[in-house]
Amino acid sequence: MSRGELADFLRRRREALRPEHVPATHPPGRRPRRTPGLRREEVATLAGVSVSYYERLEQARAPRPSPEVLAALSRALRLTAAEREHLARLAGQIPPGPANADRRPVLAEAQRLLDRLGPIPAYLVDERLDIVAWNPAAVALITDFGLLAPGERNVMRLSLRLGGTLCSGADGEFVRQSAAQLRVASARHPADSAIGELVNELATHSREFAVSWRDHDVRPVPTLRKYLHHPRLGELELDHQTLKLPGSDLELVMYTAEPGSPSAAALARSTDGS
């Protein structure tokens, strides 16, 4: 159980919950509050636990909560399915993931899938957001991953180095989603020091990442609209789509454009070498 992480997650989710969305705490006609979020006593009442116990949870001083208490807190804070799972991991109700899973069979099948995608730029990432496989279209759009050292083949490290080629400065959702994915990974693999080192590095070099990490958001966003500034192809408006590969810790990331759009034509030029 990670008491500090659990306390931070509960506090962030409480502060993010709008009182007007919880009628029991904000009946019609009540004047707006000066501070956002619910009060601790309101969450305790909604969850059916004592105020002192909930306060100790947010102060990282309480013992491990039971599954029943976690379920009550999830309802009180209106957590999504992903947030409920994350809460259970932080509370020690779900054991850590395997330290070294054998990815070789999955990678072999995934590489064949990547190759069949043809002109669609695509790559495979692990839970650290390291790129472990890619297709030629992704090389044409982003960079030749094969020329990079393994440690440099990380989505967020590349976004900082390449700038608008992977992430537009106006597109903060990409950074927020990356922080959310690393939050989930850190809870699933608490003994993986490489994740902590990566988070510290990113938070040092990107204020937006640091803010997103502190928000403790873990909700997945399967599709993002991205606006890229490509040095050769110009301005691109693409959909960044993520699919979880069943039975593995890997995700397939694809870049697509609206059919018939200038961005679609630019993608076609990038893959045919023109």
Side-chain angles (χ1 to χ4, degrees):
M1 173 178 169
S2 175
R3 285 187 173 88
E5 291 290 304
L6 175 63
D8 190 42
F9 179 71
L10 290 173
R11 184 174 63 255
R12 294 289 179 177
R13 296 283 66 77
R14 174 176 60 82
E15 293 174 347
L17 190 58
R18 305 287 297 178
E20 56 266 28
H21 295 162
V22 186
T25 66
H26 194 81
R30 176 174 289 186
R31 296 173 63 182
R33 305 185 189 202
R34 293 183 178 180
T35 57
L38 298 185
R39 300 183 180 95
R40 287 176 175 175
E41 57 267 27
E42 291 171 334
V43 173
T45 299
L46 289 171
V49 300
S50 71
V51 176
S52 62
Y53 174 70
Y54 183 76
E55 287 177 343
R56 291 199 302 274
L57 279 174
E58 282 204 9
Q59 293 166 354
R61 297 189 298 111
R64 176 185 296 183
S66 68
E68 292 76 18
V69 168
L70 290 180
L73 290 173
S74 296
R75 290 191 297 270
L77 295 170
R78 301 195 171 190
L79 301 185
T80 65
E83 290 169 333
R84 286 170 183 255
E85 180 178 342
H86 187 66
L87 177 64
R89 287 192 185 280
L90 295 180
Q93 298 293 345
I94 300 177
N100 295 299
D102 185 2
R103 298 175 180 159
R104 286 173 296 180
V106 177
L107 280 173
E109 294 180 8
Q111 188 63 62
R112 288 192 289 270
L113 172 61
L114 288 171
D115 294 337
R116 285 198 294 269
L117 289 174
I120 299 176
Y123 52 79
L124 213 61
V125 296
D126 63 13
E127 290 181 290
R128 296 177 188 166
L129 301 183
D130 288 336
I131 299 171
V132 297
W134 55 89
N135 65 2
V139 171
L141 176 65
I142 303 170
T143 191
D144 190 343
F145 304 107
L147 299 179
L148 303 176
E152 295 179 335
R153 296 179 199 145
N154 179 274
V155 169
M156 280 303 298
R157 284 191 177 116
L158 282 172
S159 73
L160 293 176
R161 196 189 83 181
L162 300 178
T165 307
L166 267 180
C167 177
S168 149
D171 181 15
E173 189 59 40
F174 174 73
V175 176
R176 288 191 290 272
Q177 178 60 15
S178 297
Q181 289 176 271
L182 289 174
R183 268 290 184 189
V184 173
S186 68
R188 189 164 187 258
H189 305 285
D192 189 343
S193 60
I195 296 176
E197 292 169 3
L198 174 63
V199 168
N200 290 335
E201 174 190 337
L202 297 175
T204 299
H205 292 91
S206 170
R207 180 181 179 278
E208 192 166 33
F209 180 88
V211 171
S212 298
W213 179 258
R214 288 196 298 270
D215 284 344
H216 224 306
D217 191 359
V218 295
R219 293 169 295 180
V221 182
T223 302
L224 299 172
R225 179 59 58 89
K226 297 185 65 176
Y227 302 90
L228 309 184
H229 309 297
H230 196 278
R232 184 169 59 87
L233 303 174
E235 302 296 315
L236 298 175
E237 183 176 345
L238 305 175
D239 286 327
H240 172 278
Q241 299 170 310
T242 305
L243 298 174
K244 184 76 175 178
L245 293 190
S248 80
D249 63 352
L250 302 174
E251 290 185 337
L252 174 67
V253 178
M254 298 178 291
Y255 289 83
T256 60
E258 187 71 26
S261 67
S263 295
L267 278 184
R269 292 196 305 272
S270 74
T271 55
D272 65 16
S274 59

